[in-house]
Amino acid sequence: MRALTRGLLGAVGFLVVWELFGRSGLVPLEYLPPPSVVAVELSKLLGDEPFLRDVVATVLALLIAVGLSIGIAVPLGLVLGSVPAVRHATRAVVEFLRPIPSVALIPLAIMVLGIGPEMKISLAVYAAVWPILFNTVYALDELDPLLVETARAFGAGRARVLLSVALPSALPFVLTGVRLAATTGLVVLVSVELLAGGSGGLGQFIMEARSGAGRMDLVLAGTVVAGVIGYLLNEGLERAQRRWVGWGSATGGRS
Amino acid sequence: MTAMLEVTGLGHTYQAKDGAHTAIADLSFRVGAGELVCVVGPSGCGKSTLLRTISGLIRPSKGEITLHGDEVRGVPDDLAVVFQDYSRSLFPWLTVQGNVEFPLRRGLSRAQRRTRAAEALEWVGLSAAARKHPWQLSGGMQQRVAIARALAYRPALLLMDEPFASVDAQTRFELEDLLLKVRAEHDTTVLVVTHDIDESVYLGDRVLVLSGSPASVVADLRVDLPARRDQVTTRESETFVALRAEVARLLNVGKPAEDVADRRRVDEHRVDEHRADERRADEHRAARWAEAERAETERAGLVAAHERDDLFSR
Amino acid sequence: MTRLSGFLQRWVVFAGLVVVWELVTRAVDDTFLPPPSEIAASAHELWFSGPLSDLLLTDTVFDHVLPSVGRLLAGWGIAAVVGVSLGVAMGRSTAAMQFAGPVLTFLRSIPPPTLVPVFLLIFNIGTSMQLATIVFGVLWPILLNSVDGARSVDTTKFETSAVFRIPRAQWVLGVVLPAAAPKIFAGLRVSLSLSLVLMVVSELVGTDNGIGSQLLIAQREFDFPDMWAGIVLLGVLGYALNTVLLSFERRALAWQPKRAERTPATVED
């Protein structure tokens, strides 16, 4: 209770500081509009259809990207995690690919894929695959050999073990990966929309608000919405994880 | 004999939301200079609270504690504590020597610190391990490091909180003898808190028997055993056997058969209560004394997940 | 498997893939997909064909690559100093975290690039805007992991330090900081790779200078080998920075019993 009150006080304090700073004249008012102005714009935007369409475009692209990432990364992770030879062999490739920032691929992706939604989704997938892949592989590392032996003793074959033992015990880890993938994917999507535009979305809204009329109040309202989406994603997936795969914490699930 | 430690009318009550919990009712005792006194009592009777009030970590709700005549307010500067959990009380990032030198910063040169640490490590027989890290040592050896650290500090009073409860039986005997040897050689005043009856009789010049929670002194027994003690013969001696039986009786352990069932019910009930009390007390200490203790709910808000990014670089 | 054969196996596969890539791209002969040999040639032309007095490095390296790396390290460094000191201080105070927790959680949920327009206005185009973008983006993992690390100091260590009356400075530097170090390093690792991303983002909008803007120019001029070379350079840079930080971490945390497993970050993006 006390923590809640304090948290609210903290949030109010933050808004007050921002308001005062915005009105202090240290920076021009139109550069950093105070929360009172942003809040009004935000409430208007929430009833504004083109804006909502942008939000939906971003969220939809994110869902598709995360879905594709799961489809790619989980099977790949199962292979890499259960066949050590493949894992060792691909290690150098992975180490080389992973540090390439997805935003650096924007120019290339534009050339190859154009500026439609498939371009930003591809880049988001590129970024979102890694956390799921690593967590899946890690989950198989952590797999209790006793479970596998028990299943084997009951006559389960390799495929059966993978499906009915390895996959369920990997679930908490995979979900952690999905959560990280979702937040990373959001960052990449918004960045691509912001930098390349062309396919709608929250990022493009922010960029147009800025470059057209220089409406920083709209920029900040869009930013707040992006923050809320990110927060809800993270919080929602964390709750889902706690509720559905609560056993994961007991077995050391990275959550 | 002059009193090194004097506890008068000590009482402590934790204030909690769901009511107050009295851990210590009314305690009075003295410890003479050079004495080794064992405080024995059932689990959760407030022994830890007692130790924390003496060491100045907690301010008692009533009563007075004086250390060589000065009232204890805050942590006195010539007091050392050996905690039960050596794995936590030692700093894993420091070597054994670093751990022993750790409290010696004030007013000592580097060379002096080094000498003192080397000396203390020699007392506990760990000179060879000075450069190792705690985790490279066995549990018993780690607790020796903690003892060496306390000794190097040259405390007027050495407090020990269940010091040998986390080591195996064999090691425990060794450490008990080590403590007796060290304190005979250096004439240290020691107060040991323990729940082990045998240990209290074996180690102590005196044994203070505490009642269950809230703690008060039930008996103050003089241990008439020779200063030189031995794990085998001392424990066989009549004095030892008689004393340990007396302490056990005072603590309501091992009653005649028909009593046992009754008692056990009551005891279990009480133990449960004690545990709940202890837990409450612990929670309190945690809240007040260690902000490090984190509420799970609070964590949930901020603590997200861990990503493994090192699978391919192992 | 021995170390050596593992090493060989990895790099043989890697080399094999590069050869396959070379053959495929030659066979396809697509302008978008230049063969690796051509990329290597452009990389050489771009960066390593300078005068001997400059160690063969070209002006591009001095005008674009090094400034980029400099901004990345500066932004990351500022975030590290601010994040660790603030995080350790806040982590030791329950009240501070209760007040600031929700705000921090929200701020870290904001995709950092969305604030680029704000920073562009306030700082104008240039280094300070780029630094602001990097600092704002990478601060949170460092800050929140430091908070978590500082909280992880257990009660016994607190009481031990209190009983021996160690001075405040020694408490912070000698107990809290080392205890938090594994978490802090985990946060630093996460934010280093994030810095690379934000460096590129800030250069794609903010300047005519840096690796990111070079990428953009290559794209506009349809110079695909140059563009690919830039991407490869970023990958190598990310790998190198991470390796350096890791070796430093290994040394700093050598006291840890097991080095087989790295402490995972609490908060990532």
Side-chain angles (χ1 to χ4, degrees), chain A residues 80 87 91 95 98 131 134-135 137-138 141 176 179-180 238 254, chain B residues 298 300-314:
Chain A
L80 290 183
R87 181 152 140 206
R91 190 173 138 174
E95 275 181 5
R98 179 174 153 78
F134 287 123
N135 273 285
V137 175
Y138 178 67
D141 276 1
T176 300
R179 205 183 69 233
L180 295 170
E238 207 168 79
R254 299 255 167 221
Chain B
E298 195 198 337
L302 272 164
V303 177
H306 314 140
E307 186 201 354
R308 305 286 316 178
D309 58 355
D310 55 334
L311 299 168
F312 292 85
S313 47
R314 267 193 210 159

Side-chain angles (χ1 to χ4, degrees), chain C residues 117-140:
Chain C
V118 182
F119 295 142
L120 267 177
L121 260 187
I122 297 178
F123 297 108
N124 294 323
I125 286 182
T127 304
S128 41
M129 167 265 156
Q130 291 172 313
L131 282 182
T133 308
I134 296 175
V135 171
F136 179 84
V138 306
L139 179 63
W140 313 112

Side-chain angles (χ1 to χ4, degrees), chain B residues 179-214:
Chain B
L179 175 62
L180 289 177
K181 181 188 83 126
V182 167
R183 84 112 189 175
E185 284 167 10
H186 304 285
D187 208 27
T188 320
T189 311
V190 189
L191 183 73
V192 181
V193 163
T194 176
H195 66 267
D196 184 321
I197 297 168
D198 290 41
E199 182 171 279
S200 68
V201 176
Y202 183 74
L203 285 178
D205 297 327
R206 274 163 58 209
V207 176
L208 282 178
V209 185
L210 297 192
S211 67
S213 176

Side-chain angles (χ1 to χ4, degrees), chain B residues 242-265:
Chain B
L243 259 173
R244 77 171 289 283
E246 191 175 350
V247 176
R249 255 192 303 280
L250 287 162
L251 288 171
N252 289 332
V253 182
K255 280 280 160 179
E258 62 261 70
D259 274 9
V260 169
D262 256 9
R263 268 243 119 79
R264 188 161 290 161
R265 243 194 328 274

Side-chain angles (χ1 to χ4, degrees), chain B residues 52 289 291-293 305 307, chain C residues 92 153 155 158-159 266 268:
Chain B
R52 279 173 175 76
W289 291 103
E291 287 150 336
E293 291 283 331
E307 186 201 354
Chain C
R92 293 309 305 165
V153 182
T155 319
F158 173 80
E159 290 188 337
T266 312
E268 311 216 348

Side-chain angles (χ1 to χ4, degrees), chain A residues 41-115:
Chain A
E41 284 310 313
L42 185 60
S43 64
K44 276 190 221 155
L45 279 178
L46 290 178
D48 181 47
E49 211 189 298
F51 176 76
L52 293 180
R53 215 174 289 145
D54 278 333
V55 173
V56 170
T58 299
V59 173
L60 207 60
L62 181 63
L63 291 179
I64 295 171
V66 171
L68 286 174
S69 307
I70 296 174
I72 296 169
V74 172
L76 205 60
L78 289 178
V79 173
L80 290 183
S82 51
V83 192
V86 178
R87 181 152 140 206
H88 282 285
T90 52
R91 190 173 138 174
V93 181
V94 169
E95 275 181 5
F96 176 72
L97 284 180
R98 179 174 153 78
I100 298 178
S102 46
V103 284
L105 297 173
I106 293 177
L108 178 72
I110 292 179
M111 304 305 273
V112 180
L113 299 165
I115 52 169

